Each structure stands twice: as structure tokens, then as C-alpha cells.
Amino acid sequence: DFFRELRQRYNDIRRFFRRWLSIWVYSHCDFYRCDKYEAHRYEPRREEFPDRKYHQEYQYEPNPMNLIPPIGPHEFYDRFHACYNPRSAFHFLHKCASFNKRTRDLLQLFPKSNSDLVEDSDKREPFWGIVARERPSIARLLLYNLACALPCLIFFFMWLFSWGHGGDLQNASVPLSVMLAALSVFWSIFFANLEFKQGNAEAGYRPS
């Protein structure tokens, strides 16, 4: 099944630590034109299908493609996370969803090149395919914030109940307040910088 292989390759590329410890998780795929500008060097350019100049070099239906993207983010996400192994030990963590495994009709929507891309060549050339997109995981963000604040929470309760400062909420809450303020500033700068980069990228990739 295509989507099962897509998930396997995606996980292989991310490796163990990035897969389980990163705040970024799979969201969906976009249909993109990419440019190879040097050997093994690629850059996503914009969301589109092959234009008329390249229609004969790519197979997909309908041609030309009327709706872009032909598969929406929700369908990509559902099929990516579908249950392909009914005996998995992790199924108790979610509601298992299974979809029709015959994806032949869906594969007709993907642009498929009639020839292989020569990755070792330094020739500049465009190609079309799918680009994986990621989103921040709220659950992992909360978990990391809790891990950062946990020592301050322990200090808070130890100060009040074990070190003889009962009722001294002001001093007990100082470390926690400082940590929460630092986390707020950090994530604000992080996501503001991310939005700035994404905005510049979208402006740069906008077709004329």
C-alpha cells in the first residue's frame, strides 16, 4: 500500500530520536514543483502540477489537473495514520481506523515521471512530486513545558509543606513564575521566527 510505504519511509528518514522527541509531527503532503540545482541538492518551489511543456513526461489523471491539491490534508493525515498492523501494541492509545487498501485510483492523481531523476548530475532541472509537511504537536509542547516547570513545582510544594514556610506563597512561587515567563518568551520568539521564515518562503515561491 502506498500510504503505508510513505509512512515507513518518512519514519526512516526522521530516525528514532527526531521521530519520538521532536515537537514536529507529520501533518500532510503538498503537491509541489521542486528544483534540483546541484547534485543531491533540491528546493521546493511552489504548489503546482507539471505545465504543458512537461505534460508528456509525467503521467497523472486528469491531465491537466483541475483541482490542486487533488488530495486534501485531512485525507493525507487519515491514510498516513491508518492501522496497517492490527496487532500493534500501541492501538490502545487511539481509535484504530482502517481504510480501503486499494489505492490504485488515488495513485492516478500523483504526478509520476516517465524517467528517473539523475541525482548525481549537476544539471539544473525541475521535477514534481509530494513534499511532507509537519506541524507542532500540542501534547509534546505541553510535556516539555511540564518537564521544565517540574523542578519549580517541586520547590513550590517543598517550600510550603516541608521546609517550614507555610503560607509564604510569594517566595514559593518565584521560581515557577520566572520559569513560566521564560517559557512564554522562548515559545513566542520561536513561533514568531517560524512564521517569519514561512512568510518569506511563501512570498518567494509565489508564481508570477
Side-chain angles (χ1 to χ4, degrees), residues 6-14 25-26 80 132 134:
L6 174 66
R7 184 171 68 184
Q8 181 63 47
R9 293 195 179 189
Y10 175 82
N11 291 334
D12 289 343
I13 291 174
R14 297 198 69 188
V25 295
Y26 176 85
F80 183 90
E134 298 175 334

Side-chain angles (χ1 to χ4, degrees), residues 120-141:
D120 294 331
S121 169
D122 58 0
K123 177 183 177 182
R124 184 183 185 90
E125 57 181 317
F127 62 95
W128 286 261
I130 56 176
V131 176
R133 297 303 188 190
E134 298 175 334
R135 60 172 178 82
S137 168
I138 300 300
R140 294 186 184 185
L141 283 172

Side-chain angles (χ1 to χ4, degrees), residues 23-41:
I23 67 170
W24 298 102
V25 295
Y26 176 85
S27 174
H28 63 282
C29 288
D30 286 332
F31 292 81
Y32 256 66
R33 167 189 164 154
C34 302
D35 283 348
K36 182 178 76 68
Y37 55 90
E38 286 290 344
H40 301 284
R41 291 291 184 270

Side-chain angles (χ1 to χ4, degrees), residues 30-197:
D30 286 332
F31 292 81
Y32 256 66
R33 167 189 164 154
C34 302
D35 283 348
K36 182 178 76 68
Y37 55 90
E38 286 290 344
H40 301 284
R41 291 291 184 270
Y42 320 98
E43 181 181 19
R45 296 294 291 172
R46 56 177 174 260
E47 189 174 15
E48 70 171 27
F49 267 66
D51 55 29
R52 294 181 179 180
K53 180 180 178 181
Y54 297 95
H55 274 185
Q56 301 302 321
E57 300 180 23
Y58 282 81
Q59 297 180 10
Y60 58 91
E61 294 181 8
N63 186 350
M65 182 61 64
N66 299 320
L67 180 64
I68 299 177
I71 301 177
H74 294 292
E75 183 174 0
F76 259 120
Y77 182 88
D78 285 342
R79 292 188 180 279
F80 183 90
H81 290 288
C83 294
Y84 298 103
N85 180 10
R87 295 182 297 274
S88 174
F90 296 100
H91 282 197
F92 70 91
L93 296 175
H94 67 281
K95 182 179 180 180
C96 186
S98 180
F99 295 91
N100 190 339
K101 305 303 189 297
R102 298 188 295 274
T103 56
R104 184 181 302 274
D105 293 340
L106 285 175
L107 292 181
Q108 294 179 357
L109 302 172
F110 288 74
K112 297 173 287 295
S113 177
N114 295 324
S115 59
D116 294 334
L117 181 69
V118 182
E119 299 183 58
D120 294 331
S121 169
D122 58 0
K123 177 183 177 182
R124 184 183 185 90
E125 57 181 317
F127 62 95
W128 286 261
I130 56 176
V131 176
R133 297 303 188 190
E134 298 175 334
R135 60 172 178 82
S137 168
I138 300 300
R140 294 186 184 185
L141 283 172
L142 292 176
L143 182 62
Y144 284 133
N145 286 337
L146 178 61
C148 292
L150 185 59
C152 301
L153 287 171
I154 295 174
F155 174 87
F156 178 85
F157 288 104
M158 293 291 290
W159 181 271
L160 292 177
F161 303 109
S162 297
W163 296 340
H165 301 284
D168 187 10
L169 291 175
Q170 182 174 357
N171 288 325
S173 61
V174 167
L176 183 60
S177 300
V178 172
M179 176 58 69
L180 293 178
L183 287 172
S184 299
V185 172
F186 172 79
W187 290 118
S188 297
I189 295 175
F190 177 82
F191 285 109
N193 182 60
L194 181 65
E195 290 180 1
F196 176 77
K197 290 182 177 180

